[in-house]
Amino acid sequence: MTKPQISVETVQQMDKQDPLHAFRNEFHLKSDHYYMDGNSLGLLSKRAEQSLLTSLEDWKDYGIEGWTDGREPWFYMAEKLGAMTAPLLGAEAEEVINTGSITTNLHQLLATFYKPKGSRTKIIADELNFPSDIYALKSQLELHNLDPEEHLVRVKSRDGRTLAEDDIIEAMDETTALLLLPSVLYRSGQLLDVKRIVKAAHDKGIIAGFDLAHSIGALPHQLDEWQVDFAVWCTYKYLNSGPGGVGGLYVNKRHFGTSPGLAGWFSSNKQKQFDMDHHLSAADDAGAYQIGTPHILSSAPLLGSLELFHEAGIHKIRQKSLQLTRLMMDLLHQELDGFGFELATPIEDERRGGHISLVHPEAARICKALKAASITPDYRAPNVIRLAPIALYTSHEDVYEVMQILKEIIQEEKHKQYSNERGIIA
Ligand SMILES: *Cc1c(COP(=O)(O)O)cnc(C)c1O
């Protein structure tokens, strides 16, 4: 049986039946523009704008008293954000805190949980990992006088795009101290079986940490049920907190009380912080892994943004996200077969994150042509185009239009007028 043709009427009907369709109105969307890069920097919502303005008003009206007496007291904002984020993670409020960035939080949690002992010294990562994570792992090994060439194990990919859980588990042994993997791979969009990996790691006495940059806000997690040891993420991608928005970290409660590897006064138990004692009394929850004064102005937008996630519900968001990416893949097949695109994203729902990754030898110039045609794509050198339809603000019709425009570019060779090189940020 052949699939029925997808038409503009089909996608308009999908939009009519979409329970999240109205959330578009919560965002600042430009008309006649298709934003497909919410996996790199999410768009501004009116709520996030408002919560940032509230913090500015608090500063205006209260000065230093804003720390405790403002409408959103700054002293407790990181904890409040953690509690609001916890349901997206399948975690308890005390296990989550918003602070730092992915890379600094990773340094903190490696300094806390990577304790090489005897022959158990190695860290498992993967050869497709994001560079910043790898740099952090290498520098932590070097701080222990361990050579990354020997002690950082990077699991190989069989196809250059995805990882096999079997290969990851195969790499684990009694010389492994810790593993750090992405939940969703940033290039291909593959979703790993976190539960299975954690179980195998724990069976071998290995600490399991995850980078949730490409899954938080796109799909639900069960970090407690899976017994993940720690996790880090950013909030400027799917959580729409704005450029440089505050990062987040999760520490499973069985590790509460473990001294922060990198301590600072914001690691303190909040009741005692202003005792100004030279002996740190660390918080007895994830708050202990904060370091210095929180960046309030890059935290405040997240307060408003997270409200939208609660109103929409992460399961509905996941359902729509899968429907949008499925539609995109179906349209790729219907409209763009034979034009040299290869799909790097796994097609199974349970192995796919929130974006679609297309491989094409002329990806750089195709992205330039897309930009000229009012589409914001996401290019990753040397040959990857990532397209992220976002459940809260992308419609099915948007996806349809994007694929029609892409087809027109390729058919009419509009991309040939551009050089096939990347810009400074890609
Ligand atoms: C986006 C991203 C980062 C960025 O780290 P920052 O410290 O927030 O700059 C790191 N790792 C992964 C996997 C990412 O996707």
Side-chain angles (χ1 to χ4, degrees), residues 4 68 79-80 101 133 165 202 211 213 282 316 349 354 406:
T68 47
E79 285 76 12
K80 176 167 179 180
S101 69
D133 300 44
E165 282 85 356
H202 288 174
D211 184 329
K316 282 209 183 105
D349 284 0
L406 180 57

Side-chain angles (χ1 to χ4, degrees), residues 160-212:
R161 294 168 189 171
T162 58
L163 297 171
E165 282 85 356
D166 286 341
D167 295 346
I168 295 168
I169 292 168
E170 180 77 26
M172 302 175 185
D173 62 27
E174 59 294 335
T175 66
T176 316
L178 179 146
L179 69 78
L180 177 81
L181 292 166
S183 46
V184 169
L185 277 63
Y186 79 100
R187 287 166 72 92
S188 66
Q190 178 195 6
L191 170 61
L192 288 175
D193 186 345
V194 175
K195 181 180 179 174
R196 182 174 165 218
I197 293 166
V198 175
K199 169 87 175 63
H202 288 174
D203 286 348
K204 298 217 164 94
I206 299 165
I207 295 266
F210 283 84
D211 184 329
L212 312 180

Side-chain angles (χ1 to χ4, degrees), residues 39-40 100-106 129-133 182 184 186 211-214 233-237 245 247 386:
N39 58 329
S40 276
S101 69
I102 292 190
T103 316
T104 58
N105 290 337
L106 192 49
N129 214 316
F130 195 90
S132 201
D133 300 44
V184 169
Y186 79 100
D211 184 329
L212 312 180
H214 287 277
W233 58 90
C234 57
T235 63
Y236 47 77
K237 291 170 180 162
R386 296 187 305 183

Side-chain angles (χ1 to χ4, degrees), residues 2-265:
T2 53
K3 279 199 174 179
Q5 188 80 359
I6 301 162
S7 66
V8 71
E9 289 77 29
T10 323
V11 293
Q12 285 170 346
Q13 191 57 32
M14 291 170 100
D15 282 335
K16 275 206 195 94
Q17 291 165 351
D18 168 14
L20 301 185
H21 191 68
F23 279 90
R24 276 166 80 75
N25 305 325
E26 296 278 353
F27 286 83
H28 291 284
L29 300 179
K30 282 198 280 180
S31 56
D32 297 324
H33 187 97
Y34 303 99
Y35 192 78
M36 292 288 130
D37 206 2
N39 58 329
S40 276
L41 179 69
L43 290 180
L44 175 64
S45 65
K46 295 168 190 171
R47 301 285 183 99
E49 180 178 37
Q50 190 50 55
S51 57
L52 173 58
L53 290 174
T54 300
S55 279
L56 284 172
E57 287 291 319
D58 283 348
W59 181 18
K60 205 187 282 175
D61 295 345
Y62 297 93
I64 194 156
E65 309 296 347
W67 282 100
T68 47
D69 297 349
R71 279 150 283 214
E72 285 292 352
W74 308 326
F75 194 53
Y76 304 103
M77 194 181 284
E79 285 76 12
K80 176 167 179 180
L81 288 170
M84 289 176 79
T85 306
L88 304 181
L89 297 168
E92 289 176 26
E94 294 72 25
E95 294 174 308
V96 185
I97 196 87
N98 281 92
T99 184
S101 69
I102 292 190
T103 316
T104 58
N105 290 337
L106 192 49
H107 273 295
Q108 167 69 294
L109 297 181
L110 289 168
T112 304
F113 294 110
Y114 173 58
K115 299 277 163 69
K117 255 198 216 94
S119 60
R120 200 183 268 281
T121 55
K122 289 183 185 162
I123 298 179
I124 290 179
D126 67 274
E127 67 166 358
L128 302 177
N129 214 316
F130 195 90
S132 201
D133 300 44
I134 296 291
Y135 302 158
L137 292 172
K138 286 186 177 176
S139 51
Q140 289 290 328
L141 285 165
E142 281 161 359
L143 285 168
H144 287 278
N145 289 316
L146 295 169
D147 180 4
E149 286 299 320
E150 187 185 340
H151 299 272
L152 179 62
V153 178
R154 280 180 289 169
V155 175
K156 294 229 173 332
S157 163
R158 298 180 192 185
D159 59 2
R161 294 168 189 171
T162 58
L163 297 171
E165 282 85 356
D166 286 341
D167 295 346
I168 295 168
I169 292 168
E170 180 77 26
M172 302 175 185
D173 62 27
E174 59 294 335
T175 66
T176 316
L178 179 146
L179 69 78
L180 177 81
L181 292 166
S183 46
V184 169
L185 277 63
Y186 79 100
R187 287 166 72 92
S188 66
Q190 178 195 6
L191 170 61
L192 288 175
D193 186 345
V194 175
K195 181 180 179 174
R196 182 174 165 218
I197 293 166
V198 175
K199 169 87 175 63
H202 288 174
D203 286 348
K204 298 217 164 94
I206 299 165
I207 295 266
F210 283 84
D211 184 329
L212 312 180
H214 287 277
S215 61
I216 193 157
L219 50 97
H221 304 72
Q222 296 300 334
L223 299 188
D224 278 353
E225 187 194 316
W226 302 334
Q227 290 292 303
V228 168
D229 291 286
F230 70 84
V232 294
W233 58 90
C234 57
T235 63
Y236 47 77
K237 291 170 180 162
Y238 288 93
L239 290 181
N240 313 318
S241 73
V246 66
L249 64 83
Y250 160 92
V251 172
N252 190 289
K253 58 180 176 293
R254 71 179 172 280
H255 295 303
F256 284 0
T258 307
S259 296
L262 306 174
W265 75 319

